[in-house]
Amino acid sequence: MLQKETGHSNVYVYYFDQRQPPRLHGDSLADAAHADDINYVFGHVDHNFHFQYTDEDRQLSSLMMDYWVNFAKNGNPNQEGLPAWPQCNEGHNRVMHLKGSVSHAGPVANKAQLEFMEEYFKWLREAE
């Protein structure tokens, strides 16, 4: 990970895996997609009127806001009472899985694909 190699701060990685609630206009449930975490991080699950958010969504939003505030204040998302979020170390084999009320540290999802992308972008940087 480039940030870990070149930066001076600790790195924390997450995998957002919260199935999105149905839309108010009848769409079916959808798996998490790029940027779906934004409503949760900024506490907008009760302000985005396109979705039928649940108490589980609100719990996840509260957890994520706590993590983000802790990280902004201390450079570390962890605090007593929250599930422990592992720091990303060499090999980065554990990340925080953010999903409903069962958020937990776990293995890197899609690790082979991520390693492929890391190698590709490393190749691009070296080719400059």
Side-chain angles (χ1 to χ4, degrees), residues 105-117:
V108 176
N110 306 316
K111 187 171 182 176
Q113 292 87 341
L114 292 172
E115 288 173 345
F116 172 82
M117 294 304 293

Side-chain angles (χ1 to χ4, degrees), residues 1-8 11 92 118 121-122 125:
M1 287 182 56
L2 188 59
Q3 174 61 30
K4 190 67 177 167
E5 293 173 14
T6 61
H8 301 288
V11 176
H92 49 90
E118 287 277 339
F121 285 109
K122 180 179 178 183
R125 287 189 303 275

Side-chain angles (χ1 to χ4, degrees), residues 56-101:
E56 183 177 78
D57 293 301
R58 289 178 198 86
Q59 287 174 333
L60 178 59
S61 178
S62 178
L63 175 68
M64 291 175 71
M65 288 188 293
D66 286 344
Y67 280 137
W68 265 247
V69 167
N70 291 337
F71 185 79
K73 287 163 89 175
N74 309 313
N76 183 335
N78 291 296
Q79 79 175 35
E80 189 174 328
L82 298 180
W85 186 332
Q87 181 179 330
C88 181
N89 293 316
E90 188 64 35
H92 49 90
N93 292 319
R94 294 186 57 76
V95 300
M96 193 66 192
H97 288 255
L98 297 169
K99 183 174 183 173
S101 59

Side-chain angles (χ1 to χ4, degrees), residues 13-69:
V13 177
Y14 70 96
Y15 180 71
F16 185 78
D17 195 23
Q18 181 72 2
R19 180 175 285 271
Q20 294 303 281
R23 291 183 174 270
L24 288 176
H25 302 293
D27 291 3
S28 61
L29 293 173
D31 290 333
H34 182 72
D36 281 344
D37 55 338
I38 292 173
N39 284 330
Y40 294 81
V41 169
F42 293 106
H44 291 171
V45 294
D46 285 322
H47 304 288
N48 183 334
F49 300 111
H50 297 289
F51 295 99
Q52 299 174 28
Y53 288 106
T54 66
D55 285 338
E56 183 177 78
D57 293 301
R58 289 178 198 86
Q59 287 174 333
L60 178 59
S61 178
S62 178
L63 175 68
M64 291 175 71
M65 288 188 293
D66 286 344
Y67 280 137
W68 265 247
V69 167

